[in-house]
Amino acid sequence: MNRMTLLTAPFRPALTPVMILAFVLLGASHSLLAQPMSKGTTHAPLVSKDTFDVIQKELSGAITLKQTMVLEGEHRAPGRYDILHSAAAYIAEQAKKHGLREVTTLKQKGYFPTWNITSADLWITGPERFRLTSFDETPWSIAPFSGGGLQEASVVDVGKGVVDGDYRQANVSGNIVLASGPPRIVVQQAVWRRGALGAICYQADGEPDGIPFGILPLPTDKNIGQGAFAYMISSRKADEIKKMLGGGVAPADGKRASNTVRVTARSRVDSRNTEPGEQILIEALIYGENQSLPEVLVTARLEDFPTNTSSGSTGCAGLLEMSRALKHLIEQGNLARPQRTIRFWWVTGISGIYEHFSQHPDQRRKFLGAVHVDSLGESAPGARSESTTTVVGPSLFRPSFLADFSKLTLDQVSTHIKRTSQGKRMRSFPATSFFNPRNTASYRPPLVHDALSEIPLAITAVSLANVSGSHVRPIGGNLSSIHPSALKEDILAATILVYSLANVQDDQLIPITTGLLRLSRERLSSELQHVTHLIDDHPTTNDWIDAQSTFMSGLLHERTGLGSITSLASDPKVSAFITARRDSLWSEGGILMKDLSETFNYYSGLEKPGSVKTTREESAVSSKVPEFTGALGEHFRLRQPAGALSPNLALSLTTYRPLSTAVLACVDSRSTYPEIYRSVRAANHLGGGNVYGEVVTLTKVIEILDRAVESGAIRANTVRRR
């Protein structure tokens, strides 16, 4: 049963008396704990009417779209440092024009090679002749770091082209492969391992005319993979090629063509790869009233590394407009100066985050939290794909109040937008979809907020992005479905979220805490139903262990996340209020755990769960505790996407394999190999059983951790526990 089926299917567990009591207590305690500390106490709203109105009137979607168009003038692909520097210079100029303080251009060592490309095109030359794509027409249709000059060869359909089985019936040596997998994997499999010249890639699902984004792996051996190329085309064009390969017969959806007819293609790429250049980080500040307080970090990505139909340009322009509006309103006295300093970063994605903290490790502790803005302005009238403003929160392994704080804030923003529309015909604020901090429906590429949240930085961060259902670019380009009204509403949501976080007061923390407690209880209620499902059909002791560890994982997350909001409190009474609510949640969880045990006893016929025998595999690693090693720079070098694309790096799976990312997120210098396995498995259960796209086993977790040890990113200590 997949996650969506699990979450939407009617669930009718047998309710024991204790479970009924537990749910009653959840509802009753919510109403009791929501009472103010004392009679007559008034609490300021999280987003006041006045704050919303002044920010809403100041922001301009038209200005943002104009700046987006300037940034979108050149394709800022990884490795194109000259284009990146031009965009950075424009952003710095605009930030200074807006009067922001201490606008600084920080140059960093680049991780990607410099990719100098002047032209590229791809033609089908037989049995028909027509051009498939070109760099001049569609810059993102050629994968960064492609080369190879002029080459012509037969086209061979290899299906996805990502595993050995895709090549069993295909001779690809000296040919060009057609594949639906990511170019970075297809090129490793087809070119590096089997001697193909290059690849033509497409995305089987998504808009038929959309063009996916891809990047080539970076060879570490000068004798392997040099001159490889990869083009990205639409699935509609891929279907045309498949039909030609089948002699006019189109294969079934998702199936490989029969390769019965010889189809030839010619690639011409005029490019060269040289030593890495300098990447850029633009920094600007709006000082807070109390500069001793932890700061709020706001980021956007400079480089164009798209994962959906918008680009990083809208995030960069949105950050410019946010900073301009806040600066102007504060200077004019229309908006109070926030308590905390707001620090803006236009950064070269994940590599920029890694490089900055490698050079400035002490800055890890200066931030209260971070908000990353990306891919704004989708879902305009007439757009082809429905989209929502989505907050992607911290993972199971980084519990924090920030994701739920964001939800409460944007829910109030949505209410204010409905109030101000007054029935006028205008685009309504898109439904705000929050990924459960512990649930991920499907894997997505890592975002900047992931790099900030991971150990050893541990800066709690969320991403706010307007994402469509498609992960391909429309044929008309990045801006074909961007509209000023959509941009304004997304920037409005992001601006109010950032300002609210920077300016939250003690008198707001009580209703905020009550709201967070409500959301925690809702999730625990849902999780109780889910884990009960694990033990309601002749359960074994192993089923009980799964249910128990899954629910406890969720309960611990909720308790820690709720308690983390005390970092915002300066009044001891407010801190005590938050702590009391956190402890009450833990007590309620104890009642639910007792009920879970009785439910297991009822369905299993046992008085109590039996003991689970430790396997030989688990015993062998039961005393191994992994921890990160060395300086931040060395750790980040191993975590770099550029390095992770090479086949010779032992850590190559960690960046792009969801399970590996989750496993490394659990490395805390305390947990053993088996404990990490149980945490990751629990997260998988909470997400519906397919969070990582693969079965979670202890063998896989051991393999991932041992690879990381081999790479030098972590070391495994042996501990003795009584």
Side-chain angles (χ1 to χ4, degrees), residues 445-648:
L447 301 175
V448 168
H449 91 271
D450 294 303
L452 290 166
S453 296
E454 73 180 28
I455 292 174
L457 293 184
I459 299 170
T460 301
V462 296
S463 281
L464 188 146
N466 190 291
V467 269
S468 71
S470 172
H471 290 277
V472 293
R473 288 181 165 192
I475 197 75
N478 290 344
L479 305 182
S480 60
S481 57
I482 305 296
H483 193 274
S485 65
L487 275 173
K488 178 174 179 176
E489 289 176 356
D490 287 341
I491 299 163
L492 175 64
T495 302
I496 291 180
L497 172 59
V498 169
Y499 181 77
S500 299
L501 183 61
N503 199 45
V504 68
Q505 310 283 334
D506 276 325
D507 61 350
Q508 296 173 305
L509 286 177
I510 293 174
I512 290 172
T513 302
T514 300
L516 299 183
L517 186 61
R518 172 179 56 82
L519 294 173
S520 290
R521 285 175 170 141
E522 289 175 359
R523 284 192 293 268
L524 286 176
S525 175
S526 174
E527 289 163 12
L528 178 65
Q529 294 187 44
H530 172 66
V531 297
T532 303
H533 180 64
L534 299 176
I535 57 173
D536 66 356
D537 185 16
H538 302 92
T540 65
T541 298
N542 283 329
D543 293 330
W544 162 249
I545 296 298
D546 280 344
Q548 182 187 49
S549 62
T550 297
F551 186 76
M552 281 301 299
S553 178
L555 180 59
L556 285 167
H557 186 285
E558 299 296 350
R559 180 179 184 271
T560 304
L562 183 61
S564 69
I565 201 171
T566 55
S567 61
L568 297 175
S570 59
D571 186 338
K573 292 183 179 179
V574 174
S575 295
F577 178 90
I578 297 171
T579 301
R581 274 56 191 172
R582 179 203 67 189
D583 293 344
S584 71
L585 186 70
W586 183 254
S587 298
E588 293 161 13
I591 296 174
L592 299 180
M593 280 298 301
K594 181 179 179 182
D595 171 68
L596 201 63
S597 177
E598 293 188 3
T599 302
F600 171 78
N601 295 343
Y602 174 81
Y603 283 114
S604 67
L606 302 174
E607 292 187 5
K608 63 179 182 178
S611 59
V612 178
K613 293 183 179 180
T614 303
T615 64
R616 182 175 301 177
E617 182 181 41
E618 184 174 351
S619 297
V621 295
S622 61
S623 60
K624 295 178 71 172
V625 177
E627 66 177 4
F628 287 100
T629 61
L632 283 178
E634 178 64 14
H635 168 73
F636 290 143
R637 184 186 69 79
L638 294 167
R639 290 284 284 141
Q640 242 318 305
L645 292 174
S646 69
N648 299 325

Side-chain angles (χ1 to χ4, degrees), residues 66-76 140 304 310-314 473 477-479:
K66 180 180 178 180
Q67 292 174 331
T68 298
M69 294 174 70
V70 172
L71 293 168
E72 198 65 23
E74 294 280 1
H75 180 40
R76 303 185 317 281
W140 57 91
D304 201 9
S310 294
S311 75
S313 301
T314 55
R473 288 181 165 192
N478 290 344
L479 305 182

Side-chain angles (χ1 to χ4, degrees), residues 305-432:
F305 209 152
T307 57
N308 54 345
T309 52
S310 294
S311 75
S313 301
T314 55
C316 288
L319 210 59
L320 277 173
E321 178 62 3
M322 177 195 298
S323 59
R324 181 202 67 78
L326 289 176
K327 174 69 175 178
H328 182 259
L329 291 171
I330 292 168
E331 293 294 330
Q332 295 297 314
N334 295 322
L335 196 64
R337 183 170 295 279
Q339 290 295 304
R340 298 164 183 83
T341 294
I342 303 174
R343 188 175 296 263
F344 300 93
W345 280 1
W346 292 265
V347 61
T348 314
I350 292 176
S351 62
I353 295 293
Y354 287 166
E355 182 62 22
H356 181 81
F357 285 104
S358 296
Q359 301 299 321
H360 307 281
D362 293 342
Q363 289 192 9
R364 287 177 290 175
R365 305 293 174 252
K366 73 182 301 178
F367 298 112
L368 171 69
V371 177
H372 177 68
V373 294
D374 206 335
S375 302
L376 307 177
E378 281 288 332
S379 194
R384 288 169 292 178
S385 299
E386 181 182 356
S387 65
T388 59
T389 299
T390 303
V391 170
V392 186
S395 71
L396 168 67
F397 316 108
R398 200 72 62 241
S400 168
F401 70 91
L402 187 54
D404 284 348
F405 179 92
S406 301
K407 174 172 175 53
L408 296 176
T409 302
L410 295 195
D411 281 349
Q412 291 190 26
V413 170
S414 182
T415 299
H416 284 302
I417 286 181
K418 292 177 182 177
R419 169 183 60 81
T420 56
S421 67
Q422 297 178 345
K424 297 178 183 177
R425 185 174 179 80
M426 61 177 289
R427 193 183 83 101
S428 60
F429 188 64
T432 304

Side-chain angles (χ1 to χ4, degrees), residues 71 86 137 272 371 437 444 631 664:
L71 293 168
S86 176
E137 177 185 272
R272 61 189 178 92
V371 177
R444 55 176 174 75
L664 287 186

Side-chain angles (χ1 to χ4, degrees), residues 170-185:
N171 178 18
V172 301
S173 179
N175 293 322
I176 299 170
V177 300
L178 176 68
S180 62
R184 60 181 175 80
I185 299 178

